[in-house]
Each structure stands twice: as C-alpha cells, then as structure tokens.
Amino acid sequence: DALEFAHHLRADFGYDVLLLNGNFWLRGNALPVWPLQQFTAWNLALRGDWPHRGQTIPYVTLPDTQPTATNLQTAWDVAAAYNPSLVLSVGDANPYADRLAPHRPTLTLHFTVDFPIVRHSMVGLHQDVPETAPALLSQLPPSAARQIFLTPQHYSLPGRTHAYPRAALGLSSTDCVAVVIGHRLDHEVTPAMLKALETVCAALPNLRLVFAGHFHTFEAKLAPYPMLRRQADYIGHVADVRGLCLMADIYINPERTGGGSSAVYAMAACVPVLTLPRGDVAFANGASNSCTDWPDLQQRLRTWVTDRTARQAAAQQAQQRAAYLCDRRGQLANILNQLNIF
C-alpha cells in the first residue's frame, strides 16, 4: 500500500517521497497478524531504494522493539540526504515520523483500525465507521484536529494467478458457495459463529462453506455441528486468494480485527461480504453494510442464499465499494486537498 501511495504521489502529484517504516511495536506482539508481521520483519538494509513499477522509491526501515536515539538520528540523516518533498510513514506507533514532521510534510498511514500514535505528523482517520471518527475528533484540540485527514482503508488488487474450478473442490454449479478465509482461523472461528452457520446449513442444504487459510483445528471445532460439517470443507492454504474469491458467491467474516484485504478481493470479484460491525472487514465493507449480530448475519445469509436477485444487488454494491477503496489517485487527491498541500 505504501509503495502504491508513493508511486502515485510521484507520478500524479509530483512529490519526491521517502518511505519511513518505524512500526516497532508489532515485533513484540505475541500473535501478530500475518501481513503486519511480514512488513515489520523486513529482511532489508536499513536504507535503500525499493524497486516498484519500473522505478525506485527511497526508504528507511527501523523495525526495532523500542525506538532508540541512534535510529531517531538515522531517520533524520536519511531524510536530510534524500531531501524529499514529503515523508510517507507507515505504522501505528511512529516516533520517527514525529521527529521529522515539524521540519517537512509527513503523512502517517496506519495498518489497521487503530488511531496512529503520533503527536506532530499528519495522520489518517477512517471516515466510514461512525462510532470511531466523531468520538475521536470531538476529543482533539483544534490544533490537533487540523492534522487529521479523513480517508478510507487503502487496498491494492493483485493479479489473478490461479483458478479454482468448483468441480475440483467437489462443488456443483447449483451450490451457493460461501468462503471463510484467514491465517488465524483456529483463533477467529468462534462457537457463536459455528452455531449460526449450523442453523443456516440445517435449513439450506445447497449452502456450501469453504474454509481456506490456516485452520488446523477444523475437524475438532466442527465436530459438534453435524449439518455444518456435512456442508463444509477446509482446503488449506491457497496461493491466490483473489482467484478463490472469483468462484465464490458470498464472503463470511469471522470475529476478528484483520481480514480486510481478502474481503476487498471478494468485493472486487462481485462477491458480497457478511461481517459483524467490528474490525478491518467492517471498515472495508462500510458501516451501513455490517450486520448487527450473529442472528442478523444469519438472516442476511438466508436471504442471499435463497434470493439470487438480492444477492446480485449486494454483489454490485460490493464491487463499487471495492473500486472506491482501490482508487489510490482519488484518495490521495482527497487527502492532499484536506491538508491544503494539493
């Protein structure tokens, strides 16, 4: 995401961008979300030029367990050497961005739903979850509020590299296929979710559930739910999540914070999303599209399985939402305009 922003800031708006990663706190997380773990564990030099879209983007990465005086100075020295017109920092807790912000324009993008922990840098606040944005903005002094830019989550769609034919997965053309995708399904698939799916499966024999990702306790967790177990399969890790979504009819989100990327892949593939009103998927899906609780999700799932017209209408809305979330140039124009640096 940061690379895409840096690319568009240069190509569309003429900014020379330095990428800054100082998201040290995730290194100490006992069970970090997989994409964040990958990002904060870069096997890279401290500084360099990252190839992207046929060009290179300068970066400095400081993934320490705690900020240090040496690395604060390093961030300063690298910024002085590159002399960028804008610093794009990544991370929820980023003292390095705060070190640079009083001296040059600095935008801080955050990974998940948390508000970035910075004092001076200009930061993004999700505009699509009403219980978050007004509450935070109302507590900020005017000087701090001027540093806030409202923005949706940001996503990029990977190219499709693999197809998943239904027949190869034991599915028929008449099945209504719902996918559940995640790297931590052992922790995220709860008894409340399984009970809700069991009830729906008992009433709708043409509903098939496909669990993909990491779910080693699949058999043990589903054993008490015979109807669900009969209509569900676990296919393990998939090489191409977007390709899997292209064969699905519905995306069901577990109770979790992460999952935003796979949900957006589904939405872009014209697959509507069912989620509770919490976490990255709820942000991506839009607050007004979330289910209030599991009974509400059950009812909507029944409607989408039995009413093709209703499901298609939800699918078109989801596809439009995904296009909005992946419009980097439009999002950047909005951010820069809000901050009066357009």
Side-chain angles (χ1 to χ4, degrees):
D1 291 346
L3 288 168
E4 279 294 288
F5 267 111
H7 165 77
H8 285 290
L9 281 164
R10 176 189 290 169
D12 299 327
F13 301 98
Y15 284 95
D16 293 321
V17 179
L18 171 67
L19 286 182
L20 170 64
N21 173 40
N23 203 63
F24 56 87
W25 71 272
L26 285 167
R27 294 284 298 266
N29 193 333
L31 192 62
V33 178
W34 178 80
L36 312 193
Q37 185 182 38
Q38 296 297 102
F39 191 78
T40 55
W42 276 344
N43 184 23
L44 295 174
L46 188 67
R47 67 186 81 176
D49 294 293
W50 196 323
H52 184 67
R53 290 194 180 220
Q55 299 179 324
T56 57
I57 298 170
Y59 73 88
V60 56
T61 179
L62 303 161
D64 297 305
T65 54
Q66 294 293 330
T68 65
T70 298
N71 281 343
L72 284 166
Q73 186 63 45
T74 296
W76 178 270
D77 292 342
V78 172
Y82 280 107
N83 194 29
S85 51
L86 189 147
V87 175
L88 186 63
S89 70
V90 183
D92 295 320
N94 206 321
Y96 307 108
D98 266 0
R99 175 75 171 90
L100 297 175
H103 305 280
R104 64 185 69 245
T106 303
L107 302 182
T108 296
L109 303 175
H110 49 116
F111 279 123
T112 58
V113 298
D114 295 326
F115 190 68
I117 306 170
V118 289
R119 183 178 179 87
H120 302 294
S121 174
M122 295 173 286
V123 300
L125 178 64
H126 293 302
Q127 64 189 16
D128 298 309
V129 179
E131 65 270 23
T132 301
L136 282 171
L137 287 174
S138 67
Q139 297 177 36
L140 293 174
S143 60
R146 284 195 293 270
Q147 297 172 220
I148 304 298
F149 55 88
L150 296 178
T151 178
Q153 284 274 50
H154 317 115
Y155 296 93
S156 297
L157 295 176
R160 181 184 176 189
T161 59
H162 187 79
Y164 293 86
R166 287 194 171 199
L169 298 176
L171 305 169
S172 74
S173 59
T174 59
D175 289 327
C176 183
V177 179
V179 292
V180 181
I181 302 170
H183 285 279
R184 303 191 303 168
L185 296 181
D186 295 296
H187 304 277
E188 295 167 345
V189 174
T190 62
M193 178 181 184
L194 294 172
K195 289 176 183 177
L197 295 177
E198 171 77 0
T199 301
V200 177
C201 285
L204 301 170
N206 67 318
L207 173 63
R208 294 290 300 273
L209 280 296
V210 174
F211 292 84
H214 296 165
F215 196 6
H216 304 299
T217 56
F218 170 78
E219 292 291 349
K221 279 204 166 188
L222 269 68
Y225 307 97
M227 299 304 298
L228 172 59
R229 180 62 191 90
R230 188 176 300 120
Q231 294 169 220
D233 294 288
Y234 169 51
I235 62 174
H237 174 75
V238 293
D240 181 5
V241 172
R242 190 180 181 193
L244 179 67
C245 290
L246 286 168
M247 73 86 198
D249 297 300
I250 299 168
Y251 177 105
I252 301 177
N253 187 48
E255 298 180 65
R256 59 182 172 185
T257 297
S261 293
S262 63
V264 171
Y265 299 165
M267 292 158 64
C270 221
V271 176
V273 169
L274 290 173
T275 181
L276 299 181
R278 296 177 289 278
D280 288 4
V281 175
F283 275 73
N285 202 38
S288 62
N289 297 321
S290 296
C291 303
T292 57
D293 51 24
W294 283 115
D296 184 29
L297 189 146
Q298 281 179 300
Q299 184 54 50
R300 200 173 306 187
L301 178 57
R302 290 190 190 97
T303 300
W304 286 358
V305 173
T306 58
D307 187 340
R308 186 179 183 86
T309 300
R311 188 169 74 240
Q312 288 177 336
Q316 291 176 357
Q317 183 181 30
Q319 191 175 49
Q320 293 170 359
R321 175 75 177 172
Y324 164 68
L325 295 173
C326 296
D327 178 15
R328 302 301 181 127
R329 190 189 188 287
Q331 292 167 9
L332 281 169
N334 175 57
I335 290 170
L336 297 175
N337 184 59
Q338 289 183 64
L339 296 174
N340 296 316
I341 55 176
F342 186 33

